[in-house]
Amino acid sequence: MSSLHLAVWSVGEADFVKEVVESLGEVGFWKVAMKPGRPLAFGKIGDTRFFGLPGNPVSVMVTYYQFVEPALVKMSGGQHRKPVRNDRGGDRAIEKTPRSN
């Protein structure tokens, strides 16, 4: 029986998670060109698949719904459903107000 684990993933000179995981198993990918959502990793150690999610809470939510949830549904034999979208625009333009210091 295989399992799935989630962990916080990081990039930078002081982060050694990728090296450690590569020495124990394989990292399928670890960077995705999307914001928010970087870094994101996926790989396998033995029979265990893992997702390495970013540390930012909004990035975690975005990457979970885009990558992890569909993977969980597929691994459990289900059919992934597309999220409900509301493409209706607002009734007026939103303009950024300059900050006053």
Side-chain angles (χ1 to χ4, degrees), residues 58-73:
V58 174
S59 297
V60 168
M61 183 186 76
V62 170
T63 54
Y64 177 83
Y65 285 119
Q66 290 294 314
F67 297 96
V68 180
E69 185 178 81
L72 290 173
V73 170

Side-chain angles (χ1 to χ4, degrees), residues 36-76:
R38 293 184 303 182
L40 171 73
F42 176 78
K44 191 173 175 183
I45 299 173
D47 288 337
T48 303
R49 291 169 180 83
F50 69 86
F51 278 95
L53 303 178
N56 177 289
V58 174
S59 297
V60 168
M61 183 186 76
V62 170
T63 54
Y64 177 83
Y65 285 119
Q66 290 294 314
F67 297 96
V68 180
E69 185 178 81
L72 290 173
V73 170
K74 186 169 184 168
M75 289 170 65
S76 63

Side-chain angles (χ1 to χ4, degrees), residues 34 39 81:
M34 71 185 256
R81 293 180 296 188

